[in-house]
Amino acid sequence: AHIASCMAENNLDEEVIGVGFDGTGYGDDNNIWGSEFFVCNLKEYTRINHFDYMPMPGSDKVTDEPWRMAVSYLYKIYGNNLLELDLPFLKNINQSSVELLCNAIDKEINCPMTSSAGRLFDAVAALINLCPYSKFHAEAPMRLESIIENKISQSYSCSISKTISFNETIEQIVRDLKRHVPLPEISAKFHNTVIFVIYEVVKKIRDGYNLNKVVLSGGTFQNKYLYENLENILTNDDFEVFSNQKVPTNDGGIALGQLVIAAKKYL
């Protein structure tokens, strides 16, 4: 629906590369989506790639307590040794709460799986102790964007295969925290990593499907640094890039996308 809203605004009625990044969307595999790479038109879609699924401990509670997603990523990578990392954000959270969260992940209690880009941004904002608790919607990614050091061009490592893993990214952020790297530099390197991932996956889709039009939509693309730098990289590589301008790229545009899809299917 996000992609369709952007296609409708830009008068596109053809097959495109769709990149839909947001916080929460119910996927057709009964998991929570939010970092999807599609080959799609207004009638149907094929999901080509996405971020690794991660447990979302406490379900929607993670939006108010981003530290939960940080622990989810750390637990996947470090297991029970995560408490030995001595990370600043964990010092303000009761150890029993962290242990309870890990037990819930192990037992799959109220831990839906998510591929959401929004939850990854939440995790990083909490991990660097910038926003372990949110006072308003999307505070964590907004604060993460607000501290970016624009002069930083480096990025972190990650793994792109059938899915996209940020395990190496998280490990390298932890190492940077241990080395007392300034948070604005960490934020820039993280954002650059996400930009690199999108660019690399979109290039592979172009090579495999002979498509050159890229539609970017979803609340994550309200991030000015992410969108503008990505757009520059894609257009410099001769992609045609489309985004929402009049219609909201966040959930405010979903209804239009749904309407266009329904009209295409039933009229």
Side-chain angles (χ1 to χ4, degrees):
H2 277 306
I3 303 304
S5 75
C6 186
M7 291 177 69
E9 179 180 339
N10 289 282
N11 296 312
L12 296 173
D13 188 4
E14 60 193 275
E15 200 163 67
V16 300
I17 301 170
V19 183
F21 275 27
D22 62 359
T24 304
Y26 190 61
D28 60 22
D29 60 356
N30 301 321
N31 290 316
I32 306 300
W33 287 10
S35 64
E36 318 314 314
F37 294 85
F38 298 118
V39 168
C40 59
N41 53 41
L42 293 175
K43 277 189 174 180
E44 56 192 4
Y45 62 86
T46 301
R47 190 189 192 205
I48 306 298
N49 212 331
H50 58 88
F51 293 177
D52 272 354
Y53 281 125
M54 292 295 301
M56 200 164 70
S59 191
D60 285 344
K61 198 170 181 64
V62 298
T63 59
D64 297 322
E65 300 181 3
W67 70 266
R68 291 170 174 264
M69 284 308 302
V71 168
S72 184
Y73 274 92
L74 292 172
Y75 188 56
K76 179 183 179 183
I77 298 166
Y78 298 98
N80 292 321
N81 294 325
L82 73 91
L83 290 169
E84 298 174 12
L85 297 172
D86 197 33
L87 294 168
F89 88 96
L90 289 173
K91 294 178 181 178
N92 297 318
I93 298 166
N94 192 296
Q95 182 174 334
S96 62
S97 296
V98 176
E99 292 172 348
L100 186 64
L101 207 72
C102 295
N103 285 333
I105 292 172
D106 285 339
K107 296 176 181 179
E108 301 180 0
I109 298 173
N110 196 23
C111 289
M113 301 299 287
T114 182
S115 64
S116 166
R119 300 293 78 82
L120 173 63
F121 279 73
D122 283 350
V124 173
L127 175 59
I128 65 175
N129 205 28
L130 183 67
C131 188
Y133 294 90
S134 291
K135 297 181 181 66
F136 55 86
H137 179 69
E139 179 184 2
M142 289 169 66
R143 292 188 63 178
L144 193 61
E145 179 190 4
S146 73
I147 65 165
I148 292 171
E149 172 52 70
N150 288 287
K151 296 178 182 178
I152 301 296
S153 60
Q154 297 99 321
S155 60
Y156 294 115
S157 301
C158 59
S159 174
I160 303 173
S161 55
K162 291 183 179 179
T163 58
I164 301 154
S165 169
F166 288 93
N167 288 0
E168 294 173 78
T169 305
I170 299 298
E171 289 175 318
Q172 289 171 12
I173 290 174
V174 169
R175 282 201 288 272
D176 274 356
L177 289 170
K178 296 289 188 182
R179 293 169 47 225
H180 303 290
V181 172
L183 298 189
E185 182 176 335
I186 293 175
S187 179
K189 289 164 71 175
F190 167 69
H191 279 84
N192 293 341
T193 304
V194 176
I195 291 166
F196 167 80
V197 164
I198 297 172
Y199 175 55
E200 288 297 311
V201 175
V202 165
K203 278 200 304 180
K204 289 182 179 179
I205 296 174
R206 176 169 67 179
D207 293 342
Y209 290 83
N210 195 31
L211 296 171
N212 203 55
K213 292 183 178 179
V214 182
V215 175
L216 308 174
S217 191
T220 300
F221 289 113
Q222 289 177 299
N223 184 312
K224 187 172 184 286
Y225 180 92
L226 179 72
Y227 175 76
E228 290 184 353
N229 282 277
L230 178 61
E231 182 185 36
N232 287 338
I233 290 172
L234 290 172
T235 53
N236 286 338
D237 197 15
D238 297 323
F239 282 97
E240 291 184 71
V241 181
F242 299 87
S243 63
N244 297 90
Q245 301 296 324
K246 297 178 181 178
V247 177
T249 194
N250 62 7
D251 289 356
I254 285 180
L256 172 63
Q258 292 170 328
L259 179 64
V260 171
I261 292 167
K264 193 70 175 177
K265 285 185 176 180
Y266 300 112
L267 293 182

